């Protein structure tokens, strides 16, 4: 092949830059990361321990009751949750289930706490919108495995880096849907709120957020499901739970074990998805 | 001193604001400015004043800048140039806090599509303006309930806007605006989304209300008939400019330029009235629910000699006369099926008044206005004669 002029440009050391940057961050911010790591570790372990304190039978009844009332006293989801959870308990995966629930709940909570205000900011400021949109694109399209590397660098291995990676992966829908929900509020209603002399926060809390609620909750539902889908990937950096069972089955080519844990994840996913959908209506 | 004074008010949408304003001052038209700068001249050099207690109508076709102009008054849209003053206070120079205060206390707005908050009940909508002023709950409830009561809507206070008809929703919109007890009401095409009968009713109510509470009302519309009906004075807009200000009479008889003249001519053509314009709301009997006794009683009460009969979906069945009903009552019948008469003349909503006149001349009953078998309204002889009389007045 002919020598093209492009071949004369030396290869840019992008990988090296990124590495240097990460090294720099890890050294400079080490105390901060350590603090977050130990603090979060305590909370998450405490939460799992608390969940494990509840005898499985009570837990199952409680979830079934919540499903029953949340779905308007229909029996379908409740029965499904009883059968499903009994299956998980029967297969000896109860502790893993609790670990996974902790991971999902904490990741989703952090995502919502960061995501909703960020979405509001994007809806209000063109400037924020221009900056944040490409970052969200980046977060959503960069393969999730790549987040694992800085997660380990910052927080070592275990549940905390798992949550870190899950949040990055699961955050964008909440931000995008919040932004969309607020922008979708009809112009006339915004004008009505303004014309009566609402302050910015009155307009936000009394008009915009209530009207954007169902859109925002659709985003939160997506966030929860994405956090759940990160469970297996996060287990690669030592996050405990159902994912680690799937991972070890994968590494040893045990089809049976893999199916058992995978099915447990599916059951959890269905219960969480239906429940969050019910609560958002 | 006038209540509201507007001086040289302009609004340019787009980037080259200064340049566009300069071109406008040189007398370039809206189209020329758009071509040269890419900026749209929304309102150009509007000046007028509105007296306390006046209903001032700003009228123009769509795109004439009337909705922009009304939003410049409370600065929902920031003016590019010029001043707006209320009682001599300059709104355009106010900081945010003062402006908010003016919006809270002095001017309220009513919107074309009502602008009611769908998640709030009627009462919660009505008290919104008071709520954001930080008024205590019991007091603001009381005032909101009073405003609803005045509008005859107190019974609906716990319903959501979507459960009410358009006319009722706009009454809520008006009640909400009045709950603040503002001195100025801005009404942006407030009745344009309503059907013709309700619309006329609301226009009458507005004028009636105005006599009682004596607010200053600035009313935007694209409908000259509406403007003539409610306006003390009318400003006619075209391409962002006010082309004439005057009473309805002045505008009709002495159009300031060709545009106004054409507009008024158009109206004359529109004055070729149809059934829809002159029909009244009928008092009806329901075929399933009502019997001869109910019919007789209601005829007595409302002084009617005949009534139309419909079913729940307003499908027209016919009519009953007082004589027929009297017979039916005497025979102690449970329904008035036997005395129901079906020989009622009907017309469509687009039938011209002159044609209706021919129908109604030979009829002993009122004429029903129907569409797809459904009853829309009723026309009696006096309606037609009044309409014809008005028509000839205009053509004099």
């Amino acid at each position: 092949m002919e020598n093209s002029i492009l071949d004369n440009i030396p290869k840019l050391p992008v990988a090296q830059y990124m590495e240097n940057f990460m090294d720099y961050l890890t050294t400079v911010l080490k105390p901060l990361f350590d603090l977050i790591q130990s603090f979060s570790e305590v909370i998450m372990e405490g939460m799992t321990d608390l969940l494990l304190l509840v005898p499985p039978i009570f837990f199952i009844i409680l979830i079934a009751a919540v499903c029953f009332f949340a779905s308007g006293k229909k029996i379908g989801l409740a029965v499904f949750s009883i059968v499903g959870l009994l299956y998980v308990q029967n297969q000896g995966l109860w502790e893993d289930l609790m670990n996974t629930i902790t991971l999902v709940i904490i990741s989703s909570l952090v995502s919502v706490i960061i995501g909703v205000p960020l979405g509001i900011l994007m809806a209000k400021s063109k400037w924020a919108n221009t900056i944040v949109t490409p970052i969200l694109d980046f977060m959503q399209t960069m393969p999730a495995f790549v987040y694992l590397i800085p997660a380990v660098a910052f927080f070592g291995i275990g549940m905390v880096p798992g949550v870190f990676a899950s949040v990055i992966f699961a955050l964008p829908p909440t931000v995008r849907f919040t932004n969309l929900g607020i922008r979708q509020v009809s112009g006339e209603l915004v004008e009505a709120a303004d014309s009566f002399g609402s302050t910015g926060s009155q307009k936000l809390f009394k008009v915009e957020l209530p009207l954007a609620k169902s859109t925002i909750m659709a985003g939160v539902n997506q966030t929860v499901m994405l956090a759940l889908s990160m469970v297996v990937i996060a287990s690669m950096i030592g996050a405990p739970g159902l994912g680690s069972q799937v991972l070890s089955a994968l590494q040893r080519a045990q089809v049976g074990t893999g199916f058992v844990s995978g099915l447990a994840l599916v059951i959890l996913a269905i219960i969480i998805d239906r429940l969050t959908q019910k609560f958002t209506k | 001193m006038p209540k509201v004074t507007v001086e040289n008010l302009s609004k340019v949408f787009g980037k080259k604001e200064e340049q566009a304003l300069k071109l406008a001052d040189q007398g370039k038209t809206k189209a020329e400015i758009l071509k040269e700068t890419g900026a749209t001249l929304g309102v150009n050099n509007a000046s007028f004043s509105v007296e306390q207690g006046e209903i001032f109508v700003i009228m123009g076709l769509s795109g004439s800048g009337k909705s922009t102009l009304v939003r410049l008054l409370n600065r929902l849209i920031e003016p590019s140039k010029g001043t707006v003053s209320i009682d001599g206070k300059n709104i355009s120079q106010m900081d945010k806090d003062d402006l908010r205060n003016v919006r809270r206390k002095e001017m309220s707005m009513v919107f074309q599509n009502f602008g009611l908050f769908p998640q709030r009940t009627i009462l919660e909508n009505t008290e919104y303006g008071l709520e954001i002023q930080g008024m205590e709950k019991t007091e603001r409830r009381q005032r909101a309930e009073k405003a609803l009561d005045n509008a005859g809507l107190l019974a609906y206070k716990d319903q959501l806007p979507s459960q009410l008809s358009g006319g009722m929703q706009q009454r809520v919109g008006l009640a909400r605006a009045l709950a603040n007890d503002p001195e100025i009401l801005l009404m942006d095409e407030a009745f344009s989304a309503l059907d013709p009968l309700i619309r006329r009713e609301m226009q009458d109510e507005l004028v009636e209300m105005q006599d009682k509470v004596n607010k200053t009302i600035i009313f935007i519309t694209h409908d000259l008939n509406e403007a003539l009906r409610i306006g003390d004075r009318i400003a006619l807009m075209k391409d962002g400019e006010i082309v004439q200000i005057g009473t309805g009479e002045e505008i009709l008889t002495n159009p300031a330029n060709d545009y106004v003249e054409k507009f008024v001519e158009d109206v004359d053509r529109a004055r070729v009235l149809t059934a829809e314009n002159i029909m009244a709301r009928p008092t009806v009997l329901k075929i399933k629910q009502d019997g001869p006794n109910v019919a007789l009683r209601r005829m007595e009460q409302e002084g009617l000699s005949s009534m139309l009969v419909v079913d729940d979906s307003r499908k027209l069945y016919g009519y009953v006369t007082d004589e027929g009903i009297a017979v039916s009552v005497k025979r102690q019948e449970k329904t008035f099926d036997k005395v129901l008469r079906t020989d009622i003349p009907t017309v469509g909503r687009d039938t011209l008044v002159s044609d209706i006149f021919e129908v109604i001349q030979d009829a002993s009953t009122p004429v029903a206005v129907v569409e797809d078998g459904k009853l829309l309204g009723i026309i009696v002889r006096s309606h037609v004669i009044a309409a014809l009389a008005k028509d000839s007045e205009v053509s004099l």
Side-chain angles (χ1 to χ4, degrees):
Chain A
M1 215 190 347
E2 218 176 304
N3 242 5
S4 140
I5 187 159
L6 290 178
D7 293 335
N8 294 327
I9 301 171
K11 181 182 172 189
L12 288 174
V14 177
Q16 190 58 47
Y17 289 157
M18 193 63 204
E19 218 130 289
N20 292 345
F21 177 63
M22 288 309 297
D23 283 348
Y24 172 76
L25 273 189
T26 322
T27 350
V28 173
L29 296 177
K30 184 143 189 11
L32 179 67
F33 289 141
D34 283 351
L35 190 72
I36 296 175
Q37 147 78 28
S38 32
F39 179 69
S40 318
E41 190 96 53
V42 171
I43 289 186
M44 290 174 205
E45 275 175 6
M47 186 167 161
T48 312
D49 290 345
L50 204 68
L51 287 173
L52 283 170
L53 269 184
V54 184
I57 186 74
F58 283 137
F59 192 87
I60 295 173
I61 293 173
L62 184 71
I63 294 292
V66 172
C67 290
F68 180 66
F69 287 111
S71 49
K73 304 205 173 165
K74 281 194 198 119
I75 203 120
L77 186 57
V79 170
F80 177 83
S81 66
I82 291 175
V83 175
L85 292 174
L86 280 176
Y87 160 81
V88 176
Q89 151 73 10
N90 177 263
Q91 296 297 313
L93 295 171
W94 193 257
E95 190 175 340
D96 291 315
L97 179 72
M98 292 304 131
N99 268 315
T100 300
I101 290 181
T102 304
L103 183 78
V104 171
I105 290 181
I106 300 280
S107 314
S108 310
L109 266 183
V110 174
S111 300
V112 169
I113 290 170
I114 299 174
V116 172
L118 196 59
I120 294 172
L121 186 68
M122 282 174 76
K124 295 284 169 189
S125 141
K126 209 172 155 189
W127 189 77
N129 195 26
T130 322
I131 294 179
V132 178
T133 306
I135 298 180
L136 292 179
D137 295 338
F138 181 91
M139 286 162 72
Q140 278 187 307
T141 47
M142 180 64 84
F145 298 96
V146 179
Y147 302 138
L148 299 180
I149 308 164
V152 171
F154 294 158
F155 301 112
I157 57 168
M159 184 87 98
V160 181
V163 167
F164 175 83
S166 301
V167 166
I168 293 182
F169 187 64
L171 181 65
T174 296
V175 182
R176 285 189 203 274
F177 277 74
T178 304
N179 181 11
L180 178 72
I182 289 186
R183 281 172 192 271
Q184 265 177 350
V185 173
S186 118
E188 197 176 75
L189 295 181
V190 175
E191 279 190 333
D194 280 334
S195 75
F196 282 103
S198 311
T199 61
S201 62
Q202 283 172 335
K203 186 166 70 171
L204 182 66
F205 288 107
K206 289 179 194 288
V207 178
E208 289 171 321
L209 281 181
L211 289 175
K213 195 179 116 206
S214 60
T215 310
I216 295 175
M217 291 314 282
V220 171
N221 173 267
Q222 289 299 299
T223 287
V224 176
M225 297 316 284
L226 283 180
L228 191 60
S229 74
M230 266 300 276
V231 162
V232 176
I233 297 173
S235 69
M236 293 175 140
I237 48 173
L242 293 170
S244 62
Q245 298 290 335
V246 175
L247 187 69
S248 85
L250 178 72
Q251 285 160 343
R252 295 175 207 159
Q254 295 167 323
V255 182
T257 332
F259 179 75
V260 167
S261 321
L263 191 59
L265 268 175
V266 173
I267 291 168
L268 179 63
I270 292 178
I271 296 175
I272 290 184
D273 178 56
R274 300 299 184 275
L275 266 186
T276 45
Q277 276 185 24
K278 295 273 154 46
F279 282 124
T280 59
K281 272 174 196 158
Chain B
M1 187 172 59
K3 189 79 192 164
V4 181
T5 314
V6 172
E7 275 166 1
N8 306 321
L9 200 60
S10 292
K11 173 66 190 177
V12 173
F13 295 103
K15 283 188 179 148
K16 298 179 177 167
E17 198 172 271
E18 300 258 315
Q19 199 188 339
L21 284 174
K22 213 180 274 169
L23 288 173
D25 283 343
Q26 290 164 13
K28 294 270 171 74
T29 66
K30 192 173 169 173
E32 285 168 342
I33 292 170
L34 179 65
K35 204 170 166 193
E36 214 161 306
T37 64
T40 307
L41 189 61
V43 172
N44 184 16
N45 251 340
S47 299
F48 60 87
S49 58
V50 184
E51 298 297 328
Q52 155 69 32
E54 189 177 24
I55 300 184
F56 186 79
V57 178
I58 299 172
M59 193 190 64
L61 299 173
S62 63
S64 62
K66 56 193 191 301
S67 285
T68 306
L69 179 55
V70 76
R71 281 166 176 72
L72 294 175
L73 301 184
N74 63 355
R75 276 174 61 190
L76 283 180
I77 297 175
E78 288 292 334
S80 305
K81 193 193 90 181
T83 58
V84 178
S85 346
I86 296 177
D87 292 330
K89 279 178 300 180
N90 188 343
I91 302 276
S92 6
Q93 300 295 327
M94 278 184 182
D95 62 24
K96 274 191 172 174
D97 290 334
D98 288 341
L99 175 65
R100 196 174 297 135
N101 247 332
V102 168
R103 287 177 178 175
R104 285 179 175 184
K105 307 263 158 121
E106 290 179 42
M107 44 183 13
S108 290
M109 193 157 171
V110 181
F111 293 86
Q112 179 169 11
N113 297 306
F114 324 134
L116 299 179
F117 305 123
Q119 84 283 14
R120 293 178 150 241
T121 65
I122 299 307
L123 183 63
E124 285 166 351
N125 261 293
T126 313
E127 69 180 0
Y128 182 83
L130 302 169
E131 181 183 332
I132 57 172
Q133 293 176 25
M135 187 183 282
E136 208 198 325
K137 193 163 184 174
T138 45
E139 196 188 343
R140 70 175 195 240
R141 282 267 138 111
Q142 215 176 356
R143 282 179 61 173
E145 282 180 2
K146 194 167 159 249
L148 282 176
D149 199 19
N150 288 342
L153 286 168
L154 194 54
Y156 300 93
K157 69 180 167 119
D158 294 321
Q159 302 210 308
L160 291 174
S162 56
Q163 294 170 296
L164 269 57
S165 69
M168 278 152 93
Q169 289 190 40
Q170 194 56 298
R171 286 201 181 90
V172 176
L174 196 53
R176 175 176 69 176
L178 289 170
N180 278 14
D181 198 22
E183 293 175 30
I184 300 163
L185 271 182
L186 305 176
M187 305 184 71
D188 180 23
E189 301 249 15
F191 302 149
S192 299
L194 305 175
D195 70 60
L197 282 183
I198 305 286
R199 192 164 166 182
R200 258 188 289 163
E201 231 174 83
M202 297 282 287
Q203 290 163 356
D204 292 343
E205 275 173 36
L206 183 73
V207 174
E208 210 174 287
M209 179 207 86
Q210 167 68 357
D211 290 340
K212 269 188 264 167
V213 296
N214 203 29
K215 307 279 181 202
T216 304
I217 299 176
I218 297 176
F219 193 103
I220 307 296
T221 181
H222 62 263
D223 177 359
L224 184 54
N225 289 325
E226 183 167 72
L228 294 172
R229 220 176 147 90
I230 63 174
D232 293 323
R233 278 188 309 147
I234 300 168
L236 201 65
M237 282 187 83
K238 185 205 174 194
D239 291 344
E241 281 174 54
I242 294 183
V243 281
Q244 188 175 6
I245 299 180
T247 62
E249 197 65 33
E250 282 164 7
I251 287 189
L252 283 179
T253 52
N254 193 10
N257 61 23
D258 290 351
Y259 173 75
V260 180
E261 197 163 0
K262 231 173 118 204
F263 204 112
V264 174
E265 264 174 31
D266 276 347
V267 168
D268 272 352
R269 246 176 275 141
R271 277 270 168 117
V272 178
L273 294 171
T274 62
E276 188 175 49
N277 301 119
I278 63 166
M279 67 190 180
R281 174 174 289 209
T283 38
V284 295
L285 290 165
K286 295 270 178 75
I287 185 140
K288 286 216 189 84
Q289 295 93 325
D290 299 336
N293 287 304
V294 174
L296 189 64
R297 208 193 148 100
R298 287 191 53 198
M299 282 180 172
E300 257 172 29
Q301 239 171 24
E302 296 173 37
L304 299 166
S305 60
S306 65
M307 276 177 97
L308 299 183
V309 178
V310 297
D311 68 4
D312 285 336
S313 59
R314 292 191 81 76
K315 187 169 172 310
L316 181 64
Y317 276 78
Y319 70 101
V320 288
T321 61
D322 47 359
E323 288 155 15
I325 287 293
V327 172
S328 187
V329 169
K330 220 181 238 171
R331 290 195 210 135
Q332 299 193 326
E333 286 170 348
K334 289 269 179 281
T335 64
F336 42 67
D337 287 357
K338 287 199 182 131
V339 294
L340 181 67
R341 300 178 56 170
T342 53
D343 55 338
I344 183 165
T346 59
V347 295
R349 68 157 77 195
D350 297 327
T351 314
L352 295 176
V353 168
S354 48
D355 296 339
I356 301 171
F357 186 66
E358 279 170 27
V359 177
I360 214 162
Q361 243 182 341
D362 326 316
S364 57
T365 59
V367 172
V369 184
V370 290
E371 189 177 57
D372 301 332
K374 291 197 178 157
L375 182 65
L376 295 178
I378 188 170
I379 298 172
V380 298
R381 199 170 300 176
S382 62
H383 292 156
V384 183
I385 291 167
L388 288 174
K390 240 189 231 163
D391 240 12
S392 55
E393 237 172 66
V394 172
S395 52
L396 271 178

